Every structure is written in C-alpha cells, then in structure tokens.
Amino acid sequence: MIGGTLRSMMERTTDGAVARQSFPKADRPIRVLVLDDEAALRDLVQQTLVRAGCEVTTAAEGGEGLQALLSKRFDVVVSDLMMEPMDGITFLTEALRIWPWMGVVVFSGFIQEDIRERAGKIGVTTILEKPISFRDLAEKVIEEANGMQARITGGDQVTLDHIQYELSILREITKAAIEASSLPQALRDLSESLGQSLPSLAAGILSLEDEPSDSILVLSVRAPVTEAFIKQMELSIRNRFRLLVGKELPEALEVELQGAALSDAGTPEAVNVFSVPIVSGGRVSGMLALAPPTDYTYNESDMSFLYHAANHLTTVLIAFQRIRELAVRDELTGLYNRHHLQDELTSVWQMAKRYGFSTGILIIDIDHFKTFNDTYGHPTGDEVLRELGEIAATVCRDSDIIARYGGDEIVIVLPDAIPESLGVLAERLLVAVRSHLFCRDSHELKCSVSVGAASSRADDGGTLPPDEVLAHADKALYVAKRNGRDRSSVWTEDSTDHHTSGLATTREGTAAPEEAIAAARAVPHVAVIDDDTSVLSIMKLILEMEGCDPVVFATAQEARDYVAQNPGGLDVAFVDLNLDDESGLDLIREFKSTDSAMVTIVITGDATLDNAVNSLRHGAYDFIQKPVQREQLKITLARAIEYRGLRVENLEYQNHLEDMVRRKSRELTNALQRTRDSFEFTLRAMTTMLDSREHATGAHSQRVQDITELVGKEIGIQGKLLDDLKQGALLHDIGKIAIPDAILLKPGPLTEEEWVIMRTHAQIGYDIIRTSPDLKGAAKIVGCHHENWDGNGYPNGLSEEEIPIGARIFALADAYDAMRSDRPYRAGMPPEDATAELHKHRGSQFDPKLVDVFLGITDQIEAIGKWAEENEKAEQST
C-alpha cells in the first residue's frame, strides 16, 4: 500500500492541504495499538487518534504487536489485514485470545467476502474500506472502546479478578523455573506446572535458539497417550509455527518426553492442541502448547491465561539465554571467553586427531594498550578492544574460533589450517588494523597490534598438544613485540628461527628511520671492527657459537659503508679503540648519529681507566680488554642485546607518545575550528533572522560585512582587528530586536518621536554583545556605527578619530548598501548617484580619507553587492 493508494486515503482540500475536520474527542484516554506494515500510514493513523484523545502505540508487524499486547493492556487494536509474515486475521485471532474484551477496528483496501467471514468468526465486525475517512476511524475507535466496558462486565467474558489470580500463579511458576539449574530443567518444571494449571493430557514448551542444534521441545505427558498422540502434538506445534512465522522448524529438533509413559491403550489422537507463541524481541522464539482431554474445550479465560503464560515464559528464556552467553561469551567484546576457549581447544584437537588436519593458533596483542587507557581512559580502551574483535571476525573464517584470552589479548583458533597460511592471515590482520580508524565518533585513533602464530604440526609430522601450541604462539608474540611491534612472528621448531613480518611504515609507505631500528629478526646481528684479522676470526667464531649472525670489517670505512647501506641492520658493534686508519671512538660517534639504537662496545689491549672513561663519554656501552675471553664476551653481549631491546622499546614508546601528541593536537585544532564555525553560524543565523524581520532577503548583513572586510583589507587591517571588524559589521543591527514592529516595519517616513526610539538600537546592540569577551571589539563597532565624522551622529555624538576605525568603515558600507538597495518606499539608486552622495557627505558624515579609498574600489564593491540582481528578484516577487 504505497504511492497513490496512500494519497487516496488522505482527504484533501482543493489546494492540497489535509482537510481539517471537526474530530470527535474521547471523554477518557483510550489506549490504542495500531498495526500496519507501512510507516507513513501508521503515522497518519497515530496523528488522527491522538487528536481524538487516544494514547497510541504502533507496531510494524504481528510479532511486534503481540509483544506489545503482552506488555500492557489496550482498549482497542486498529489493524491492517494485508501484512507479512503474519496476516491481520491471524494477528487478531492471537490478540483477542490475550485480551478477549478488546475492541477491534480493521481497515483494508482488499476486503472480500471470505475476509469478512473470517473476521466475523473471531468477533470482528468493524471493518473500514480504503480510502478511509479519518473522522470515521476516530468515531469507530471511540465506539469500540465504549463497547469494551460492556464486554468486560458481560457474563460470558473472563473477569479481571480471575486473570489477576491466574497471573499470580504464573509469577510463582516463573520464579521457580528461573531458579532451576539449567534450561532443560526449567522447561521440564514449567511444562509440568502448566500442565497442572489447566486440564490437559500433555503440555509442551518449545525453545528456539540461534543454533538449531540447541533448540528443544519438552513435552510433559500427564496421562497415558499413544506415540501417535505425541507425533500429532509435535506436528500441530510445527504447523502453528509455520502459520505464525512463515518458515519451518528445524527437522532435527530435539524432543524430550517426561511424565507418564506412552501406552497403546492411552488416548490415541491429539485433536484439540492449543498453542500460543512465545515472543521475544519482536520475533517468535518458542511455543507453548497444551492438549486438553477429549471432553474438554478451552474457553476464553483458559486461552488468555495461556497467552500470559507464554509472556512469562519469555522472561525465563531470556534469563537462561543471558546465563548461557555469560558462560561462554566475554561481556565486553562479545567474543568467546577464556573458559569456553579451553573447551573449544579440546574439541578442535579431537577433530584434528580424527581427520588428520593441523590447527593454527594466533595471539593478537594491542601495542601500547596501557598508554591508550592512561591517555584516553578505560572506556576508550574498551571500545578499541570491541572494534578489534570485530576486525578479527571480518578477517577470519566462520569456522575459526575467536576468544578474548585476557586483558588486551585475543586468541584465534584456526581448524584445518596449514602452517604456511598462518603468516598470511597474520599479515591480513595487521593490514586491517592499520587501515581502521578506531573510536571514530570520539577520538579517531590509529592503533597497531603484534601477532604471534604457531601450528600444531610438529617437524616429525605429529601433532603438538594445544597447551604447547598456545605457548609457542605466546613466545612468537614476544618476538614480534621485542622486534618493534606492529608485526607478526610465526613460531618454528628451531627456536632461533622465527619468521617475522610487518615492518612499520610511514604514511608515505617507506620505512620510518625511527622504526627501522626495529627491523624484524630474532637472531642478533653483530659487527666486529678491528684491524687485527686474528681477532676478527676468533670473535666471529665465538659469536656464531653464541647463535649470532656476525659480520667483520678490517677497516672503519668498510664498516661505515655497511651501516650506510643497511640502516638499522646491526644490533651490536664491537669496535677496536685504535684502528690503523683512524680512532675507533670517532667511528662510534658516527654510528650513534646514524643509528641511535645500535649498541657499541670498545675492545682494546690498552685497558686503562682513562681509555674506559673516554670510551663511555663517546657513547660506548661497555669496554672489553683483549684478548677477548668467550665467557666475558657472552656476558657482555647478553647485556648489550637486552639494553638494545630496552632502547628500541623506549624509542618506539617516545615515537608513539609524539604521534599521540600530534594526533591530540589535530583533534584540538579541529574541535576549535568546529567551535569557531558554530559560533560564526550562530552569528549569521541571528542576523538572518533580523533581516527576515525587516522583510529583507537576508543578504543585507552579509553584503555589508563583505564590503567592510574589503575596505578594511585595503587600508591594511588584519588579524584580530579584521575579525572584530567583520563581526561588528555582521551584528550591526542586532539592537533592532528591541524596536517595535510598528516602527521598524513602517512603510513610510518615521515621526520625530519614532526616530528617538529607532536611534536607541545602537546602544541596545552594544549592551547586548559587549558582555561577551570574544565580541568586545565588535561591540564598539555596533555601538558607534551611526556616529558622524562631524559629531552630529548618535548615540554619543563622537567625532573624527574618536569614532573607532571599524565603525567609520562600516558607516560607508552600510550607507552605500542602503542607497543601492530597493526599499518598500523607494527604488535603489544607480551606482553613480550613490557614489555622488558619498562624495557630497565627505568630511561631514563620513571620514574623508576613507571615502577616497571607498570610491577607488567601487568596481570591486559592485561585484560583491550584486544589487541589480537583488532588486530584479524583488520586483519579480512582488
């Protein structure tokens, strides 16, 4: 029902406006539920009924409408018939079982005889055909509400006291069910209790879950019945669900029987199964069904009781759903929690063992997460964690398991993942995080993560246990963080060979100098510079035995060239104090300026106190005497590598803080600019309202501001003075807000008494804005813009230089604009007449020097003003 159909429903006058009829008014508030799947019509009906004195709730489809009915009581329901997935008749059938005495008004453009028959069978007689009269609709709603009272007091209808009694029973049953140890147990208790509340052979409760395998139908058998009876009851529930929802229940639905045993001698058929929907969040999340004895038929009281029972069941299902979520989900991120991760690891490893596939584990850690929390607060840190979880979900497969492991760490379990794919996925994660703008609505942050990965496949083809793989991934994560963060590392069985990737880059895409020091590697790169080849050979051998990757140089120039070609390529450098070609201390000083993270150690055969102190002053980390002993070298090297790691981390942390400061500065700058823009918008809005009050086009204040700014720049005004000049010009007439319309809008000349009142606007405007610290300069222009050069102006009779320069400039701009613009009592002057008038009053009304400047740029002023266009538009509008 769209387009022309909707328009045809609206009664209109000949000029297209909705006809204003004399609507009937209810003598008391009427609670009305309006159900229609078209928003525009719902709004029209709601507006109509509100005018008639009704309290209106709206719903877009049947499930939402049933939930509203179960939440509070309504006097009348107004419903369309053609809706999906639940049509109007089906909805009204359910609705009248909830509140049997409720009035009903139906409207539809497709009312056929079979529709009237179906409506009549459920007691609906008020049917309006489209296009409808909204007056008729209001009258019918009031009639149905009045008739409701008679239905409530009628002998055949259920009493309110009876329903309240039944609801008290339901509250007790629901409370007991919530205290059950599990959902199946709660459903068993509820099914048994409800079966006792009404005459029944069997009672059933269906609970639907997101995972079809978790859905369950509990049937409580209270008297002997046959297996065919149970199958018919299940079939009845399935058919009822399909009618309400428009789709089938899962085929492999778990059905649990309890109570009396099945018997071939029991009741053979379930003939009159009565089922009602359990609605949660506007959707059908379950069913409640009872099968009465063959000699009993449920009356309206029983039906209403069952609907309210279904509403109470919603509370139980939601409570247990929440309990299940808390048991397996992290409350902050919505990811699986650590406890559930352990369960999933066991399950995945069992499947891997059965089917022979390998499993991967990734651990993601947010870089400098503590800094985020300390700088922006824990709520911002929580939002970063939530968004990281969402990023991981988009990058991973549906079969992958994502869990919050603790703090800022997220673990991803990858079933059936070959080891070679782990690095690829880790890189995708890094790229996705780098490109994501976190906390977009508040801080607009850029974050990075480090990723450690490991596979369950051992070198011998066997399978490693999950705890060991998790430990390997954690160690790989440590390597990624130690080597500079914002990268990934994949564990291999050889502990000295972690494959790493993800060197951080600048925005231009090249490696940043500060971050190049953290080039991804796990094997220390060590240089030895000595002019003694025997020393080079011995130290290279020792360093290789210690698991390092050494390079040796016999001259300072060779080492210098290597460092220049491989920035950030060395972790530690051993430098001889006295090289043949130059001093080792000079080379150390050069290294420090080239690569501030490189750790340098002096080696020398002349180990004096002076040499040691001098080496440290030149930037050396330590000092070793020749001949070099392996144990001494090993200890010194370990300390140097640890020291380098700390320096790399400190440098990275410093760069991170500087980046945060720059980002924060940009945020503050943007916020300040937004504030300025908002302030400027407010000023313009105020002046536009003033212009509109005088029936101006709204362009007057803008024109005089632009002309004033042009003249100000011409005589060299700039900075804060220019801002004051522009604001004063824009707000010059703000004081007119206090001038009566009879004077301000008078079409003819003002009397002397009226002029006295009109002239107060300058002082009033000054008083209005001078209290603002940001508008003090503008206030002087507002207060003096009608002062004359010769002292004959107002309000204070200032003359010549006593008048602020901004007010003198504005007086010219305002006068010229007034002369060039059309007014209600005269046409605008031609430009030559207006300039002649300015020249005529040069030295009396206007500053003579400024008049000369103004007349020298009239071509630019005319281009700004566009008076000819404005005047032509004004003529056309009249």
Side-chain angles (χ1 to χ4, degrees):
M1 174 180 45
I2 57 175
T5 305
L6 178 58
R7 285 192 295 272
S8 68
M9 293 183 59
M10 300 170 58
E11 298 177 331
R12 295 183 178 271
T13 60
T14 55
D15 62 354
V18 177
R20 295 190 173 273
Q21 303 183 19
S22 175
F23 271 72
K25 297 287 287 187
D27 56 4
R28 61 180 178 84
I30 299 174
R31 291 170 291 240
V32 181
L33 174 65
V34 175
L35 184 73
D36 195 283
D37 54 4
E38 186 176 355
L41 183 56
R42 284 201 309 274
D43 292 342
L44 284 172
V45 173
Q46 181 179 23
Q47 293 170 21
T48 299
L49 297 180
V50 167
R51 287 179 60 190
C54 301
E55 298 174 0
V56 181
T57 300
T58 63
E61 50 86 25
E64 184 182 349
L66 290 179
Q67 189 159 20
L69 287 168
L70 290 166
S71 300
K72 62 179 181 179
R73 183 170 61 85
F74 290 91
D75 302 317
V76 180
V77 60
V78 178
S79 176
D80 189 15
L81 291 182
M82 305 301 292
M83 296 180 295
E84 292 182 353
M86 189 186 302
D87 65 63
I89 294 296
T90 302
F91 164 75
L92 291 172
T93 302
E94 308 295 328
L96 290 173
R97 287 170 176 169
I98 300 174
W99 301 111
W101 55 80
M102 186 169 52
V104 177
V105 176
V106 168
F107 57 85
S108 178
F110 307 95
I111 300 177
Q112 299 175 353
E113 194 58 36
D114 64 324
I115 296 293
R116 292 186 181 275
E117 290 179 4
R118 290 179 62 196
K121 287 180 180 179
I122 60 174
V124 176
T125 58
T126 304
I127 303 176
L128 301 178
E129 292 194 42
K130 300 175 183 177
I132 64 175
S133 162
F134 290 134
R135 175 185 175 82
D136 292 345
L137 175 63
E139 288 179 345
K140 292 299 183 182
V141 167
I142 294 173
E143 287 178 10
E144 287 289 332
N146 293 334
M148 180 196 69
Q149 297 296 329
R151 287 189 291 274
I152 291 178
T153 57
D156 294 334
Q157 296 292 331
V158 59
T159 66
L160 290 176
D161 289 341
H162 184 65
I163 281 194
Q164 289 174 355
Y165 169 72
E166 291 178 332
L167 291 180
S168 68
I169 297 176
L170 286 174
R171 281 192 292 270
E172 295 175 5
I173 295 174
T174 303
K175 180 181 178 182
I178 288 180
E179 293 173 354
S181 59
S182 65
L183 177 62
Q185 184 60 49
L187 294 179
R188 294 186 200 106
D189 294 345
L190 282 165
S191 181
E192 176 66 22
S193 299
L194 289 171
Q196 295 172 0
S197 300
L198 289 176
S200 63
L201 297 175
I205 298 177
L206 169 68
S207 174
L208 295 175
E209 303 296 330
D210 292 335
E211 290 291 334
S213 59
D214 294 335
S215 299
I216 184 173
L217 171 61
V218 176
L219 294 175
S220 178
V221 181
R222 295 188 44 75
V225 296
T226 63
E227 183 177 352
F229 181 100
I230 296 298
K231 290 182 178 179
Q232 287 177 359
M233 190 169 181
E234 179 185 350
L235 181 61
S236 175
I237 293 173
R238 287 180 176 275
N239 291 338
R240 183 89 165 111
F241 180 83
R242 183 176 64 250
L243 175 66
L244 292 172
V245 180
K247 60 182 181 181
E248 301 286 347
L249 283 173
E251 277 298 324
L253 177 66
E254 179 184 353
V255 179
E256 180 180 310
L257 291 177
Q258 65 175 20
L262 301 183
S263 170
D264 292 339
T267 303
E269 294 183 349
V271 179
N272 297 317
V273 177
F274 183 75
S275 56
V276 297
I278 300 172
V279 183
S280 174
R283 72 180 186 90
V284 176
S285 58
M287 299 287 291
L288 168 61
L290 265 75
T294 54
D295 59 349
Y296 187 86
T297 301
Y298 290 136
N299 57 33
E300 289 183 342
S301 174
D302 298 333
M303 295 177 185
S304 179
F305 173 76
L306 287 176
Y307 269 91
H308 289 284
N311 188 38
H312 280 259
L313 278 178
T314 301
T315 305
V316 177
L317 297 181
I318 291 175
F320 276 97
Q321 183 182 21
R322 180 62 175 158
I323 291 171
R324 285 198 303 275
E325 287 178 354
L326 291 175
V328 302
R329 294 283 180 181
D330 173 61
E331 189 172 10
L332 174 63
T333 61
L335 304 175
Y336 289 124
N337 57 26
R338 185 168 183 167
H339 180 269
H340 186 69
L341 173 66
Q342 297 296 336
D343 294 340
E344 289 290 343
L345 284 173
T346 301
S347 175
V348 169
W349 249 255
Q350 288 175 349
M351 290 180 60
K353 184 177 181 180
R354 182 184 306 164
Y355 297 106
F357 60 72
S358 59
T359 302
I361 292 180
L362 267 62
I363 302 181
I364 310 170
D365 186 87
I366 302 174
D367 297 332
H368 303 297
F369 188 62
K370 183 178 184 301
T371 305
F372 277 100
N373 281 331
D374 293 345
T375 304
Y376 298 103
H378 286 278
T380 299
D382 292 346
E383 180 59 29
V384 170
L385 270 174
R386 279 191 290 269
E387 294 185 29
L388 178 60
E390 293 170 0
I391 292 172
T394 60
V395 172
C396 294
R397 304 168 299 179
D398 292 340
S399 59
D400 297 335
I401 300 160
I402 309 172
R404 185 183 179 193
Y405 196 57
D408 61 329
E409 288 186 340
I410 291 176
V411 171
I412 303 175
V413 180
L414 307 163
D416 195 12
I418 60 175
E420 293 78 9
S421 68
L422 302 183
V424 176
L425 177 61
E427 187 62 29
R428 286 210 307 267
L429 278 166
L430 291 172
V431 172
V433 172
R434 289 175 193 147
S435 61
H436 183 75
L437 190 63
F438 289 82
C439 305
R440 186 180 297 272
D441 296 332
S442 54
H443 299 288
E444 297 187 349
L445 302 175
K446 298 295 287 186
C447 302
S448 65
V449 296
S450 300
V451 183
S455 174
S456 64
R457 183 182 298 172
D459 283 352
D460 60 3
T463 300
L464 300 173
D467 290 346
E468 188 172 342
V469 179
L470 197 60
H472 287 170
D474 193 48
K475 291 178 181 178
L477 173 66
Y478 172 77
V479 171
K481 297 184 81 68
R482 186 188 69 187
N483 287 332
R485 295 182 171 84
D486 191 24
R487 66 196 68 245
S488 64
S489 176
V490 181
W491 174 271
T492 65
E493 284 296 321
D494 182 358
S495 61
T496 64
D497 182 22
H498 304 290
H499 303 288
T500 58
S501 67
L503 180 61
T505 59
T506 63
R507 288 182 177 84
E508 288 73 24
T510 58
E514 298 87 355
E515 293 165 333
I517 59 176
R521 57 179 178 270
V523 179
H525 289 188
V526 183
V528 182
I529 304 99
D530 198 300
D531 50 14
D532 187 337
T533 56
S534 61
V535 172
L536 293 179
S537 300
I538 292 172
M539 289 195 66
K540 182 178 181 182
L541 179 62
I542 294 174
L543 291 170
E544 287 175 343
M545 293 171 64
E546 294 301 326
C548 298
D549 180 14
V551 289
V552 297
F553 307 101
T555 67
Q557 190 57 45
E558 291 177 4
R560 191 179 288 112
D561 293 342
Y562 180 87
V563 171
Q565 294 170 9
N566 300 275
L570 293 176
D571 297 315
V572 180
F574 292 91
V575 182
D576 187 13
L577 182 61
N578 298 304
L579 298 168
D580 283 346
D581 50 351
E582 59 182 282
S583 168
L585 297 181
D586 292 337
L587 185 60
I588 288 175
R589 188 166 49 246
E590 287 187 40
F591 282 170
K592 299 301 291 182
S593 62
T594 303
D595 186 350
S596 60
M598 184 193 305
V599 179
T600 54
I601 300 172
V602 169
I603 51 176
T604 181
D606 187 13
T608 66
L609 180 60
D610 288 343
N611 283 339
V613 172
N614 203 24
S615 298
L616 295 177
R617 285 177 176 172
H618 279 74
Y621 170 70
D622 210 339
F623 188 90
I624 298 180
Q625 183 177 358
K626 295 179 183 179
V628 178
Q629 302 298 317
R630 178 181 178 183
E631 193 62 29
Q632 180 189 18
L633 178 64
K634 178 180 179 180
I635 294 172
T636 303
L637 179 63
R639 288 205 314 266
I641 291 174
E642 182 179 4
Y643 176 67
R644 181 188 182 277
L646 291 173
R647 292 188 67 175
V648 167
E649 187 167 343
N650 287 336
L651 283 170
E652 186 188 34
Y653 185 66
Q654 179 182 348
N655 293 334
H656 179 69
L657 288 178
E658 290 174 355
D659 185 58
M660 288 179 64
V661 170
R662 286 191 295 269
R663 204 156 49 228
K664 198 69 176 177
S665 297
R666 285 196 301 270
E667 291 176 7
L668 291 173
T669 300
N670 293 337
L672 180 59
Q673 186 59 48
R674 287 194 297 268
T675 302
R676 287 173 177 165
D677 293 343
S678 178
F679 181 64
E680 184 69 19
F681 173 80
T682 302
L683 296 183
R684 292 188 183 280
M686 290 170 59
T687 56
T688 299
M689 287 189 292
L690 287 170
D691 284 350
S692 298
R693 186 179 175 218
E694 293 187 76
H695 305 303
T697 61
H700 165 68
S701 294
Q702 185 62 59
R703 279 199 305 269
V704 294
Q705 183 190 46
D706 293 343
I707 296 170
T708 302
E709 180 184 7
L710 175 65
V711 178
K713 288 180 177 179
E714 188 70 18
I715 64 173
I717 295 178
Q718 56 187 352
K720 179 65 167 60
L721 291 177
L722 186 63
D723 291 339
D724 291 343
L725 180 62
K726 293 165 58 180
Q727 290 173 349
L730 189 66
L731 298 172
H732 68 281
D733 273 343
I734 192 171
K736 288 184 178 179
I737 196 171
I739 304 302
D741 287 351
I743 297 175
L744 187 66
L745 306 180
K746 187 175 181 179
L750 301 180
T751 65
E752 186 58 37
E753 292 79 7
E754 290 170 338
W755 269 117
V756 171
I757 297 173
M758 177 65 82
R759 287 174 181 143
T760 61
H761 80 273
Q763 184 64 43
I764 292 172
Y766 172 78
D767 292 337
I768 288 174
I769 67 173
R770 68 184 175 88
T771 55
S772 170
D774 295 324
L775 294 175
K776 285 187 179 295
K780 294 178 181 179
I781 298 173
V782 171
C784 298
H785 74 279
H786 279 296
E787 300 286 359
N788 290 348
W789 180 256
D790 60 7
N792 291 322
Y794 64 87
N796 298 313
L798 302 180
S799 64
E800 299 186 358
E801 302 293 337
E802 294 175 337
I803 307 170
I805 183 67
R808 283 180 269 154
I809 295 173
F810 173 76
L812 278 166
D814 188 42
Y816 192 80
D817 182 71
M819 290 186 286
R820 290 286 290 116
S821 301
D822 283 347
R823 293 297 172 90
Y825 49 85
R826 62 158 177 80
M829 292 184 183
E832 56 272 15
D833 292 349
T835 54
E837 193 70 17
L838 292 182
H839 194 274
K840 175 182 177 182
H841 293 281
R842 179 181 181 274
S844 56
Q845 184 176 350
F846 307 117
D847 182 336
K849 293 181 180 179
L850 289 178
V851 170
D852 295 340
V853 173
F854 193 96
L855 296 178
I857 56 173
T858 51
D859 289 344
Q860 298 177 55
I861 292 170
E862 284 292 325
I864 290 174
K866 299 180 180 178
W867 289 279
E869 296 179 15
E870 288 291 328
N871 295 342
E872 184 178 351
K873 289 179 182 178
E875 290 177 5
Q876 291 175 352
S877 65
T878 57

